Amino acid sequence: MTKILVIDKVHDSIFKMFDEAGIEYSYQPDIKADEVPNAIPPFDGLILRSKMKVGVDLLELAPQLKFIARAGAGVDEIDENYLERRQITLLNAPEGNMDAVGEHTIAMLLCLMNYLHIGNYEVRQKLWQREENRGHELSTRTVGIIGYGHMGQAFAKRLIGFGCKVLAYDNGKTNYGDEYAQEATLEEIQAQSDVLSFHIPLNDHNKHLVSKDYLGGFKKPIYLLNLARGEVIPFSTIEWGLDNNKIIAAGLDVLENEKLHTLTDEQNRIFQKLANDDRVIFTPHVGGWSFESYEKISIVLGRKIINLLNK
C-alpha cells in the first residue's frame, strides 16, 4: 500500500479523498524541517507547501519515494533534475490558486491606477484631496503579460471585462493566444504596453530576468506587477525603473529577498526607499493564498495523486 508523508498544513478535503481511495498517509504538519530526514525513508510520497527545500541530501534518504506533491504552484524549491534522474514524479496544483492570483493582480493594478492606498490614508488624516487622487481608467490601456500559464491566463480572463488590449508572451509555448489575450513577441509587448505583469516560474533562465536593459526596452512608462517570484526582478532594477520614470508604479506581492530580517545592506537601503514611496504597494506573498484556494489546492492535488497511483 502507498504511504504518504504530509509535512505541511493542507485542507482536510485531501484526506477525505485519500480515505475513500484507501491511501495510507501520515499527517505531520508540525514536524520541523530538520526532523524530516529521519521521517521520510519508509514513505512512497511526500506532500509539502513551503516548509523546506527538497534537494539531493533529503531525497537520497528516501529510496522508496515515487512522487512529490507541492500544495501550490511554484516548484523552484525542489530539485527537479534529481527527480528526473530518479524517475520521481513531481506534482503541483496551479489550477487551485490561479483564480486567487488573477483577482489579486487585478486588485493591485486598480489600487495603483486609482491611488486607493493614498486616498484612504489621506482621508483618515482628514485630508480631502480630490484632484491629487484623480485616477486613470484601465479600459484605454494595453496590458502585457509575461508567462501565459494558469496564472497569466487567469489575470487575462479578468481583464476582458475592462475592455483593454491584452498581449501575452511565453517563451516556452507556441500558438497560445486565446479569447483573453493575443500572442505577442517581447518586442511587441515592449512597444505597446502600459502595464506589465509577471506570471513565470523561477528557474536559471528567469532569475534576475528583468534588468535595466530589459526595462529600458519599453517605449512607455509602465505599471509593474510581480506575482511570480521576487528573484525575477531584483530590488536594484525596481529602484532604477522608478528613479528613471520607466516604472509609473509597482505592485509587488513577492520580493527578491522575502526574509526581511536577512536583507543585505544594499537590499535594506532599497527596501526602505521603496517602503517610503507611494508609488509602491506590497503584499506578503499572498496572491494565491485565499481561503478558497486553500481548499481548491488540496482537491486538485488529491485528484492528481489518485490518478497517478491508479496508473
Side-chain angles (χ1 to χ4, degrees), residues 4 10 46 78-79 92 111 117-118 261 273 296 304:
I4 301 173
V10 293
L46 174 67
I78 300 170
D79 190 330
N92 64 341
C111 180
H117 56 305
I118 300 173
H261 62 283
K273 183 176 177 180
K296 286 192 284 187
K304 288 185 177 182

Side-chain angles (χ1 to χ4, degrees), residues 15-273:
F15 302 123
K16 295 177 182 177
M17 298 170 73
F18 288 165
D19 289 339
E20 292 174 0
I23 297 171
E24 184 178 340
Y25 56 87
S26 176
Y27 186 37
Q28 301 183 40
D30 298 322
I31 191 173
K32 294 180 173 57
D34 60 5
E35 296 173 337
V36 174
N38 288 330
I40 199 171
F43 289 94
D44 307 287
L46 174 67
I47 298 176
L48 77 163
R49 281 200 349 245
S50 303
K51 176 160 289 183
M52 61 189 300
K53 290 185 177 182
V54 179
V56 175
D57 290 347
L58 176 64
L59 294 169
E60 287 186 339
L61 298 174
Q64 296 181 201
L65 203 64
K66 300 297 187 296
F67 71 86
I68 294 177
R70 166 97 209 290
V75 293
D76 46 277
E77 296 286 274
I78 300 170
D79 190 330
E80 294 186 68
N81 292 329
Y82 183 85
L83 295 191
E84 188 174 347
R85 292 197 300 271
R86 278 268 307 272
Q87 296 185 315
I88 298 171
T89 300
L90 177 59
L91 303 172
N92 64 341
E95 304 92 335
N97 64 353
M98 63 183 186
D99 291 326
V101 170
E103 293 183 15
H104 196 94
T105 313
I106 288 287
M108 296 191 92
L109 179 56
L110 293 178
C111 180
L112 290 170
M113 295 187 72
N114 293 281
Y115 310 113
L116 302 184
H117 56 305
I118 300 173
N120 172 67
Y121 174 79
E122 289 179 348
V123 173
R124 291 172 185 271
Q125 307 304 310
K126 297 184 178 178
L127 296 174
W128 197 261
Q129 303 193 120
R130 297 184 69 234
E131 182 59 30
E132 291 83 353
N133 288 291
R134 187 180 353 175
H136 300 275
E137 294 179 12
L138 181 53
S139 61
T140 62
R141 307 308 173 102
T142 296
V143 179
I145 298 176
I146 306 297
Y148 203 61
H150 290 92
M151 309 304 173
Q153 188 180 59
F155 179 42
K157 183 177 181 180
R158 284 153 180 81
L159 288 168
I160 291 301
F162 291 92
C164 51
K165 181 178 181 180
V166 183
L167 302 177
Y169 171 73
D170 194 313
N171 66 359
K173 297 181 178 181
T174 56
N175 300 317
Y176 52 86
D178 56 21
E179 66 267 39
Y180 310 125
Q182 173 186 328
E183 184 175 342
T185 65
L186 178 59
E187 290 73 23
E188 288 171 329
I189 286 180
Q190 288 178 314
Q192 300 179 45
S193 293
D194 302 289
V195 177
L196 182 66
S197 188
F198 286 88
H199 300 278
I200 55 178
L202 179 64
N203 53 37
D204 291 340
H205 173 73
N206 291 335
K207 187 173 183 179
H208 293 176
L209 172 69
V210 185
S211 62
K212 296 174 184 178
D213 289 341
Y214 188 105
L215 276 187
F218 283 80
K219 304 304 180 184
K220 296 182 283 186
I222 56 171
Y223 290 91
L224 177 70
L225 305 167
N226 189 8
L227 284 91
R229 286 291 186 265
E231 294 93 330
V232 170
I233 311 175
F235 281 116
S236 58
T237 300
I238 299 169
E239 179 188 36
W240 181 87
L242 290 165
D243 287 348
N244 291 275
N245 299 315
K246 300 301 293 185
I247 298 175
I248 299 170
L252 307 173
D253 183 52
V254 292
L255 296 175
E256 181 183 8
N257 184 353
E258 295 177 4
K259 294 181 172 61
L260 298 182
H261 62 283
T262 69
L263 296 176
T264 66
D265 289 343
E266 179 65 2
Q267 286 176 339
N268 190 61
R269 179 191 67 78
I270 298 174
F271 174 77
Q272 293 300 330
K273 183 176 177 180

